[in-house]
């Protein structure tokens, strides 16, 4: 079984070819960073046009690198949501066209399910597992019991953790994109220099909050001289990163404690999404799992941030179960993994909302 995956839900145009025996034959990602950098965030209209400009070439490149023709494929998968709707439409229409012309099954993949199942592509992780999904628009703990079987254990009540990294980076005058540049700046910093709050620490449950931490950073950053001395910048970045990681660990610990009663068969923690590429977060979660007797899986960083291999893989998982979609599938700007928990979910967070305020609101993946 060989599936072409297409990802266009935010600011990466991506195409990949993946096999059911877990081989990534090609994985092409074109970042739109340069287009969005002048605005300090993702501008949906610019993203949609850029996807349209590049998608055909990228699909061609992914097929060439895989050494495949469309006739060799078993199906075509595209992110069907959640995300910036203009971009999602571009990917879905492209996949539908290829599927229609070549008589292939079409698979509309939930972008979050792409992140959620990546550890099964990279490490063959078995169900069930606890998933910490940490990206620019989502911060959730989920019990994953199978393809399409997700129970939300906790979610952020304000910012997603990736959004908090991005906003903090901005306050520290670090270059866009914020998360990776904050991690880089923090390497030289002292994480104990500033006593920042550890959000939600000691509170029951698995919900997250990052706005208090962000405000604490703002107060300190605003009082600093400009241009920011490198030492202060590095120390505050490291202090923020340590506080965010500790908060994530604390919430995961609560989830593990709860699951040890209700689902003792869960013995694995998987971290996924862009923030999962952060080394401090990975090390902190490794320590937590060691203490709990859990095994820990974090996909390689390039498969944590948005990519199409995860979409192709989720497509394979769905195709194996016969979960194909009709060509009348309508792209979804919002698409929770656990629909039963939808009423518990906070407002959609949006990586681009923080900066490009002139742009319309849209759900982020
Ligand atoms: O999963 P992703 O690529 O896109 C979404 O689906 O949102 O995640 C992007 C988010 C951004 O907020 C970005 O700043 C954050 O992940 N991120 C990081 C790192 N790399 C990406 N945050 C902290 N450290 C990193 N190394
Ligand atoms: Zn994502």
């Amino acid at each position: 079984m060989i599936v072409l995956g297409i990802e266009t839900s935010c600011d990466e145009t991506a195409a990949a070819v993946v096999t059911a025996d877990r081989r990534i034959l090609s994985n092409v990602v074109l970042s739109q960073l340069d287009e969005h950098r002048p605005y300090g965030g993702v501008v949906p209209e610019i993203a949609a046009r850029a996807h349209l400009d590049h998608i055909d070439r990228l699909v061609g490149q992914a097929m060439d690198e895989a050494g495949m023709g469309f006739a060799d494929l078993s199906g075509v998968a595209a992110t069907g949501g959640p995300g910036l709707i203009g971009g999602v439409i571009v990917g879905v229409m492209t996949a539908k066209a290829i599927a229609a012309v070549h008589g292939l099954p079409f698979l509309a993949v939930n972008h979050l399910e792409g992140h959620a199942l990546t550890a099964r592509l990279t490490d063959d992780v078995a169900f069930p597992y606890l998933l910490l999904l940490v990206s620019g628009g989502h911060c959730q703990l989920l019990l994953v019991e199978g393809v399409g079987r997700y129970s939300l254990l906790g979610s952020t009540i304000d910012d997603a953790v990736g959004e908090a990294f991005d906003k903090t980076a901005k306050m520290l005058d670090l270059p866009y994109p914020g998360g990776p540049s904050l991690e880089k700046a923090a390497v030289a910093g002292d994480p104990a220099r500033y006593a920042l709050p550890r959000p939600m620490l000691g509170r029951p449950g698995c919900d997250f909050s990052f706005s208090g931490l962000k405000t604490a950073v703002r107060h300190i950053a605003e009082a600093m001289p400009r241009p920011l001395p490198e030492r202060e910048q590095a120390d505050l970045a490291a202090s923020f990163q340590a506080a965010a990681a500790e908060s994530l660990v604390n919430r995961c610990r609560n989830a593990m404690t709860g699951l040890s009663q209700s689902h003792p068969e869960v013995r694995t923690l998987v971290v996924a999404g862009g923030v999962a590429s952060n080394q401090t977060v990975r090390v902190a979660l490794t320590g937590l799992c060691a203490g709990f007797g859990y095994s820990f899986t974090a996909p390689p960083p390039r498969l944590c941030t948005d990519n199409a291999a995860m979409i192709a893989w989720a497509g394979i998982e769905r195709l194996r179960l016969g979960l194909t979609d009709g060509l009348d599938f309508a792209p979804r700007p919002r698409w929770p993994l656990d629909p039963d928990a939808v009423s518990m979910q906070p407002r959609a967070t949006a990586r681009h909302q923080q900066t490009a305020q002139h742009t319309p609101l849209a759900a982020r993946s």
Side-chain angles (χ1 to χ4, degrees):
M1 198 180 275
I2 304 170
V3 167
L4 165 68
I6 294 174
E7 157 61 34
T8 54
S9 67
C10 190
D11 57 344
E12 278 93 15
T13 316
V17 178
V18 174
T19 68
D21 58 355
R22 302 175 34 243
R23 282 178 299 134
I24 299 174
L25 301 183
S26 61
N27 186 20
V28 191
V29 182
L30 179 75
S31 171
Q32 302 175 2
L33 284 179
D34 291 344
E35 278 99 326
H36 300 289
R37 186 172 283 112
Y39 306 94
V42 180
V43 182
E45 289 82 358
I46 292 177
R49 283 166 203 274
H51 288 307
L52 201 53
D53 286 344
H54 299 298
I55 190 69
D56 287 350
R57 184 175 56 79
L58 253 86
V59 167
Q61 190 181 334
M63 296 299 292
D64 287 350
E65 285 183 15
M68 296 281 152
F70 290 126
D72 300 315
L73 297 175
S74 321
V76 188
T79 298
L84 301 175
I85 197 65
V88 176
I89 290 171
V90 171
V92 164
M93 290 308 292
T94 305
K96 282 181 181 175
I98 297 168
V101 169
H102 298 279
L104 296 168
F106 164 67
L107 302 124
V109 169
N110 182 321
H111 178 90
L112 304 175
E113 181 156 59
H115 282 303
L117 299 178
T118 301
R120 289 170 54 75
L121 165 64
T122 57
D123 295 85
D124 207 6
V125 172
F127 297 124
Y129 51 86
L130 173 62
L131 171 71
L132 174 65
L133 179 55
V134 278
S135 69
H138 289 85
C139 188
Q140 302 182 339
L141 272 161
L142 296 134
L143 170 61
V144 184
E145 292 183 283
V147 176
R149 294 178 56 204
Y150 303 92
S151 307
L152 186 69
L153 305 175
S155 182
T156 181
I157 58 171
D158 40 56
D159 292 349
V161 62
E163 198 178 355
F165 267 89
D166 293 336
K167 288 178 177 171
T168 300
K170 220 165 173 237
M171 290 180 229
L172 296 179
D173 298 336
L174 290 165
Y176 175 83
S181 55
L182 190 143
E183 177 171 27
K184 210 164 141 205
V187 170
D190 172 9
R193 167 87 184 274
Y194 296 99
L196 295 173
R198 268 49 180 162
M200 306 300 268
L201 212 71
R203 296 221 201 150
C206 306
D207 283 339
F208 303 83
S209 166
F210 292 99
S211 69
L213 173 59
K214 195 182 62 190
T215 305
V217 173
R218 173 170 293 123
H219 286 148
I220 297 169
E222 280 176 358
M224 285 178 176
R226 289 297 194 276
L228 272 182
E230 240 173 71
R231 165 110 327 261
E232 316 299 322
Q233 198 183 35
D235 287 349
L236 194 45
S239 300
F240 164 82
Q241 190 172 248
E246 198 176 326
S247 180
L248 293 176
V249 163
N250 177 266
R251 306 287 85 197
C252 289
R253 183 180 291 119
N254 280 7
M256 290 170 170
T257 306
L259 287 174
S260 66
Q261 301 296 317
S262 62
H263 295 80
E265 69 281 11
V266 178
R267 305 303 304 157
T268 304
L269 173 68
V270 168
V271 65
V275 182
S277 59
N278 183 285
Q279 212 42 46
T280 300
V281 169
R282 291 163 87 101
V283 168
L285 294 172
T286 305
L288 171 71
C289 286
F292 247 85
Y294 259 55
S295 61
F296 175 60
T297 302
R302 74 190 170 87
L303 295 176
C304 289
T305 48
D306 286 350
N307 65 88
M310 70 181 193
I311 303 304
W313 175 255
I316 286 171
E317 295 253 33
R318 298 186 70 78
L319 187 56
R320 284 201 288 226
L321 297 172
L323 300 172
T324 60
D325 294 275
L327 294 182
D328 58 349
F329 171 86
R332 300 181 185 174
R334 301 196 66 179
W335 189 355
L337 274 181
D338 177 0
D340 295 340
V342 84
S343 58
M344 292 162 46
Q345 292 199 347
R347 65 178 174 82
T349 51
R351 177 152 39 126
H352 65 274
Q353 274 175 235
Q354 60 187 288
T355 43
Q357 279 153 3
H358 57 287
T359 59
L361 303 185
R364 275 279 302 136
S365 48

